Amino acid sequence: DKTAQSLFRQAQTEQRQAEEAAAQAKLQATIDLGLAALKKRDYDAAEKALRSAILADPKNPTILQGLKDIEIGRKTLAEEKQKLAGYQLAVGAGEKAMKAKDYDSAVKSFQQALQWLPNDPQAMKLLVQAQQAQIGANQALANFKAAMDAGEKAMKAQQYAVAVKAFTEATKLMPGDLRARQLLGQAQQALQQQQMDEVERKAFASLIKQADAAVAGKNFEAAVKLYSSASTVMPKADQT
């Protein structure tokens, strides 16, 4: 029967079309799954889906491009990981240098971090802090040297109070500097001796003045006692 045959062929065609549509829908779903994974940078899942899809449609341009993008993405991801590792290493070195107050090294490390990740806000912030600390340290060093020079000059001039003040400032600027502490101690001892000498000098001058007055008043006994006391205060002084 021709009618039956026609209906049979029509049914076969419709079945085939339905199967092709279902296969196409499944293929598209697999492609979409792969592209979604690619967008999330889940390259393993993306490759698995697109490799499955290409078996059904080897020349599909979307699938082929997706596989190329996976390769590019993996390469980019590897480069990003390398940059991040270099960045983290440089930042860590910079922070360690900052704690050690090695500001020159800190500046170099944070500059290296910015070479790995240009314009990174954290690295830029750390670099500015290190540069400011570097400037401050350089100024402190200059001030320290100036204070030391002033203190040594004052010591030579026997201006011990000035020397103590200068060396005290130097030790504040560089608390760990041994030479500055030693010179401060020497200046303090010299100042103390100078002050004691001044007290003795004044006491001696007062006694001599009183003794001279006693001589002028012909009170020789008192004068002798006063001169004797003066010689005790300053044994090496010339009383003639």
Side-chain angles (χ1 to χ4, degrees):
D1 180 86
K2 291 182 179 181
T3 301
Q5 291 179 351
S6 176
L7 290 172
F8 178 70
R9 285 194 296 272
Q10 182 179 354
Q12 284 183 320
T13 299
E14 290 176 353
Q15 182 181 8
R16 185 174 62 254
Q17 289 175 342
E19 290 174 349
E20 289 175 352
Q24 185 61 38
K26 183 178 179 181
L27 173 63
Q28 189 60 49
T30 303
I31 293 172
D32 291 343
L33 180 64
L35 295 179
L38 177 60
K39 188 175 182 180
K40 294 178 181 178
R41 305 183 80 179
D42 184 353
Y43 299 119
D44 290 343
E47 183 177 23
K48 181 179 180 180
L50 294 181
R51 290 292 180 193
S52 174
I54 204 169
L55 295 175
D57 192 357
K59 296 182 179 181
N60 187 298
T62 300
I63 299 173
L64 293 172
Q65 185 59 51
L67 291 172
K68 288 181 181 179
D69 290 342
I70 290 171
E71 183 179 352
I72 293 171
R74 279 177 170 157
K75 183 178 179 181
T76 300
L77 182 60
E79 290 174 351
E80 289 176 354
K81 286 182 178 180
Q82 183 182 13
K83 288 180 179 179
L84 181 60
Y87 166 86
Q88 291 175 336
L89 185 64
V91 168
E95 291 177 335
K96 184 178 179 180
M98 285 290 285
K99 289 180 180 179
K101 296 185 178 181
D102 183 0
Y103 302 122
D104 291 345
S105 296
V107 167
K108 290 179 182 178
S109 293
F110 295 137
Q111 287 174 337
Q112 289 175 352
L114 284 169
Q115 289 176 355
W116 285 111
L117 293 181
N119 301 319
D120 178 76
Q122 180 65 10
M124 292 176 69
K125 178 182 177 180
L126 291 171
L127 176 58
V128 169
Q129 291 175 352
Q131 289 172 330
Q132 290 175 341
Q134 183 185 47
I135 292 171
N138 290 339
Q139 185 60 55
L141 180 60
N143 293 341
F144 171 79
K145 289 180 178 178
M148 290 292 285
D149 290 344
E152 291 176 352
K153 183 178 179 181
M155 286 291 284
K156 290 179 181 179
Q158 296 185 354
Q159 297 174 342
Y160 302 123
V162 175
V164 167
K165 182 178 180 181
F167 291 136
T168 298
E169 181 63 23
T171 57
K172 288 180 180 178
L173 291 167
M174 297 285 179
D177 189 87
L178 179 60
R179 184 166 178 269
R181 294 202 305 269
Q182 289 175 338
L183 289 175
L184 174 59
Q186 293 173 13
Q188 288 171 331
Q189 289 178 353
L191 176 60
Q192 185 179 18
Q193 185 60 52
Q194 188 181 59
Q195 290 172 338
M196 290 173 62
D197 291 345
E198 179 63 17
V199 170
E200 290 177 355
R201 188 192 65 78
K202 288 181 178 180
F204 174 80
S206 176
L207 289 168
I208 293 298
K209 183 178 180 181
Q210 293 176 53
D212 290 345
V215 170
K218 300 186 183 301
N219 187 352
F220 301 114
E221 184 179 355
V224 169
K225 290 181 179 180
L226 289 166
Y227 284 134
S228 178
S229 297
S231 66
T232 302
V233 172
M234 295 183 66
K236 296 181 181 181
D238 184 1
Q239 302 174 29
T240 58

